[in-house]
mmCIF file of all heavy atoms in Angstrom:
data_model
loop_
_atom_site.group_PDB
_atom_site.id
_atom_site.type_symbol
_atom_site.label_atom_id
_atom_site.label_comp_id
_atom_site.label_asym_id
_atom_site.label_seq_id
_atom_site.Cartn_x
_atom_site.Cartn_y
_atom_site.Cartn_z
ATOM 1 N N GLY H 13 -12.219 -6.402 -20.121
ATOM 2 C CA GLY H 13 -13.362 -6.957 -19.326
ATOM 3 C C GLY H 13 -13.566 -8.465 -19.466
ATOM 4 O O GLY H 13 -13.875 -9.154 -18.460
ATOM 5 N N SER H 14 -13.385 -8.904 -20.624
ATOM 6 C CA SER H 14 -13.730 -10.416 -20.900
ATOM 7 C C SER H 14 -12.641 -11.238 -20.211
ATOM 8 O O SER H 14 -12.833 -12.325 -19.693
ATOM 9 C CB SER H 14 -13.747 -10.732 -22.414
ATOM 10 O OG SER H 14 -12.524 -10.420 -23.025
ATOM 11 N N HIS H 15 -11.375 -10.804 -20.254
ATOM 12 C CA HIS H 15 -10.336 -11.532 -19.484
ATOM 13 C C HIS H 15 -10.524 -11.412 -17.963
ATOM 14 O O HIS H 15 -10.291 -12.507 -17.250
ATOM 15 C CB HIS H 15 -8.943 -10.816 -19.746
ATOM 16 C CG HIS H 15 -8.465 -11.144 -21.068
ATOM 17 N ND1 HIS H 15 -7.809 -12.375 -21.426
ATOM 18 C CD2 HIS H 15 -8.485 -10.527 -22.340
ATOM 19 C CE1 HIS H 15 -7.616 -12.368 -22.730
ATOM 20 N NE2 HIS H 15 -7.943 -11.310 -23.274
ATOM 21 N N LEU H 16 -10.990 -10.331 -17.532
ATOM 22 C CA LEU H 16 -11.342 -10.219 -16.074
ATOM 23 C C LEU H 16 -12.462 -11.229 -15.706
ATOM 24 O O LEU H 16 -12.285 -11.835 -14.628
ATOM 25 C CB LEU H 16 -11.731 -8.746 -15.782
ATOM 26 C CG LEU H 16 -12.227 -8.436 -14.251
ATOM 27 C CD1 LEU H 16 -11.233 -8.652 -13.348
ATOM 28 C CD2 LEU H 16 -12.789 -7.076 -14.232
ATOM 29 N N VAL H 17 -13.539 -11.277 -16.523
ATOM 30 C CA VAL H 17 -14.539 -12.112 -16.278
ATOM 31 C C VAL H 17 -14.160 -13.614 -16.098
ATOM 32 O O VAL H 17 -14.440 -14.316 -15.181
ATOM 33 C CB VAL H 17 -15.722 -11.912 -17.306
ATOM 34 C CG1 VAL H 17 -16.785 -13.078 -17.194
ATOM 35 C CG2 VAL H 17 -16.396 -10.664 -17.228
ATOM 36 N N GLU H 18 -13.232 -13.931 -17.064
ATOM 37 C CA GLU H 18 -12.709 -15.362 -17.058
ATOM 38 C C GLU H 18 -11.926 -15.667 -15.792
ATOM 39 O O GLU H 18 -12.218 -16.742 -15.058
ATOM 40 C CB GLU H 18 -11.648 -15.428 -18.232
ATOM 41 C CG GLU H 18 -12.222 -15.987 -19.448
ATOM 42 C CD GLU H 18 -11.073 -15.943 -20.518
ATOM 43 O OE1 GLU H 18 -9.979 -16.018 -20.243
ATOM 44 O OE2 GLU H 18 -11.543 -15.882 -21.683
ATOM 45 N N GLU H 19 -11.245 -14.694 -15.260
ATOM 46 C CA GLU H 19 -10.505 -14.951 -14.038
ATOM 47 C C GLU H 19 -11.448 -14.960 -12.798
ATOM 48 O O GLU H 19 -11.234 -15.729 -11.868
ATOM 49 C CB GLU H 19 -9.412 -13.917 -13.874
ATOM 50 C CG GLU H 19 -8.583 -13.855 -12.555
ATOM 51 C CD GLU H 19 -7.898 -15.311 -12.290
ATOM 52 O OE1 GLU H 19 -7.683 -16.071 -13.345
ATOM 53 O OE2 GLU H 19 -7.566 -15.539 -11.260
ATOM 54 N N LEU H 20 -12.423 -14.114 -12.804
ATOM 55 C CA LEU H 20 -13.337 -14.120 -11.689
ATOM 56 C C LEU H 20 -14.102 -15.348 -11.618
ATOM 57 O O LEU H 20 -14.321 -16.008 -10.551
ATOM 58 C CB LEU H 20 -14.415 -12.901 -11.835
ATOM 59 C CG LEU H 20 -13.742 -11.459 -11.549
ATOM 60 C CD1 LEU H 20 -14.813 -10.398 -12.016
ATOM 61 C CD2 LEU H 20 -13.389 -11.311 -10.117
ATOM 62 N N ILE H 21 -14.490 -16.010 -12.765
ATOM 63 C CA ILE H 21 -15.183 -17.217 -12.767
ATOM 64 C C ILE H 21 -14.378 -18.344 -12.326
ATOM 65 O O ILE H 21 -14.728 -19.328 -11.645
ATOM 66 C CB ILE H 21 -15.899 -17.456 -14.235
ATOM 67 C CG1 ILE H 21 -17.054 -16.460 -14.317
ATOM 68 C CG2 ILE H 21 -16.294 -18.968 -14.511
ATOM 69 C CD1 ILE H 21 -17.775 -16.444 -15.577
ATOM 70 N N ARG H 22 -13.038 -18.225 -12.766
ATOM 71 C CA ARG H 22 -12.072 -19.240 -12.289
ATOM 72 C C ARG H 22 -11.987 -19.243 -10.838
ATOM 73 O O ARG H 22 -11.734 -20.275 -10.102
ATOM 74 C CB ARG H 22 -10.655 -18.979 -12.964
ATOM 75 C CG ARG H 22 -9.780 -20.215 -13.129
ATOM 76 C CD ARG H 22 -8.394 -19.814 -13.519
ATOM 77 N NE ARG H 22 -7.742 -18.902 -12.576
ATOM 78 C CZ ARG H 22 -7.126 -19.169 -11.413
ATOM 79 N NH1 ARG H 22 -7.202 -20.466 -11.142
ATOM 80 N NH2 ARG H 22 -6.622 -18.304 -10.718
ATOM 81 N N GLN H 23 -12.179 -18.079 -10.178
ATOM 82 C CA GLN H 23 -12.115 -17.983 -8.631
ATOM 83 C C GLN H 23 -13.519 -18.103 -8.145
ATOM 84 O O GLN H 23 -13.730 -17.644 -7.036
ATOM 85 C CB GLN H 23 -11.527 -16.559 -8.334
ATOM 86 C CG GLN H 23 -10.091 -16.407 -8.759
ATOM 87 C CD GLN H 23 -9.435 -15.220 -8.186
ATOM 88 O OE1 GLN H 23 -9.965 -14.433 -7.251
ATOM 89 N NE2 GLN H 23 -8.329 -14.690 -8.693
ATOM 90 N N ASP H 24 -14.404 -18.720 -8.797
ATOM 91 C CA ASP H 24 -15.772 -19.068 -8.382
ATOM 92 C C ASP H 24 -16.729 -17.885 -8.064
ATOM 93 O O ASP H 24 -17.541 -17.906 -7.227
ATOM 94 C CB ASP H 24 -15.584 -19.950 -7.063
ATOM 95 C CG ASP H 24 -15.345 -21.293 -7.414
ATOM 96 O OD1 ASP H 24 -15.656 -21.758 -8.590
ATOM 97 O OD2 ASP H 24 -14.737 -21.958 -6.636
ATOM 98 N N PHE H 25 -16.518 -16.695 -8.648
ATOM 99 C CA PHE H 25 -17.352 -15.608 -8.481
ATOM 100 C C PHE H 25 -18.600 -15.893 -9.403
ATOM 101 O O PHE H 25 -18.541 -16.506 -10.419
ATOM 102 C CB PHE H 25 -16.724 -14.280 -9.121
ATOM 103 C CG PHE H 25 -15.877 -13.510 -8.084
ATOM 104 C CD1 PHE H 25 -14.641 -14.054 -7.739
ATOM 105 C CD2 PHE H 25 -16.391 -12.348 -7.495
ATOM 106 C CE1 PHE H 25 -13.841 -13.267 -6.837
ATOM 107 C CE2 PHE H 25 -15.618 -11.649 -6.607
ATOM 108 C CZ PHE H 25 -14.367 -12.065 -6.285
ATOM 109 N N ASN H 26 -19.779 -15.422 -8.786
ATOM 110 C CA ASN H 26 -20.957 -15.305 -9.650
ATOM 111 C C ASN H 26 -20.794 -13.916 -10.467
ATOM 112 O O ASN H 26 -20.850 -12.931 -9.828
ATOM 113 C CB ASN H 26 -22.196 -15.323 -8.628
ATOM 114 C CG ASN H 26 -23.542 -15.264 -9.398
ATOM 115 O OD1 ASN H 26 -23.556 -14.927 -10.569
ATOM 116 N ND2 ASN H 26 -24.574 -15.317 -8.565
ATOM 117 N N VAL H 27 -20.825 -14.034 -11.777
ATOM 118 C CA VAL H 27 -20.485 -12.883 -12.537
ATOM 119 C C VAL H 27 -21.688 -12.443 -13.336
ATOM 120 O O VAL H 27 -22.285 -13.087 -14.203
ATOM 121 C CB VAL H 27 -19.232 -13.022 -13.426
ATOM 122 C CG1 VAL H 27 -18.986 -11.748 -14.221
ATOM 123 C CG2 VAL H 27 -17.999 -13.383 -12.657
ATOM 124 N N HIS H 28 -22.014 -11.067 -13.269
ATOM 125 C CA HIS H 28 -23.076 -10.480 -14.103
ATOM 126 C C HIS H 28 -22.319 -9.412 -14.883
ATOM 127 O O HIS H 28 -21.645 -8.510 -14.421
ATOM 128 C CB HIS H 28 -24.128 -9.789 -13.247
ATOM 129 C CG HIS H 28 -25.035 -10.925 -12.708
ATOM 130 N ND1 HIS H 28 -26.398 -11.106 -13.086
ATOM 131 C CD2 HIS H 28 -24.923 -11.738 -11.624
ATOM 132 C CE1 HIS H 28 -26.899 -12.000 -12.356
ATOM 133 N NE2 HIS H 28 -26.004 -12.419 -11.515
ATOM 134 N N ILE H 29 -22.593 -9.431 -16.197
ATOM 135 C CA ILE H 29 -21.978 -8.468 -17.145
ATOM 136 C C ILE H 29 -23.037 -7.516 -17.583
ATOM 137 O O ILE H 29 -24.063 -7.757 -17.913
ATOM 138 C CB ILE H 29 -21.455 -9.133 -18.358
ATOM 139 C CG1 ILE H 29 -20.302 -10.088 -18.028
ATOM 140 C CG2 ILE H 29 -20.953 -8.120 -19.453
ATOM 141 C CD1 ILE H 29 -19.791 -11.003 -19.164
#
Side-chain angles (χ1 to χ4, degrees):
S14 62
H15 286 276
L16 174 64
V17 169
E18 266 175 25
E19 177 57 21
L20 289 171
I21 286 175
R22 206 187 60 78
Q23 294 189 15
D24 284 334
F25 274 77
N26 175 358
V27 180
H28 287 255
I29 295 171

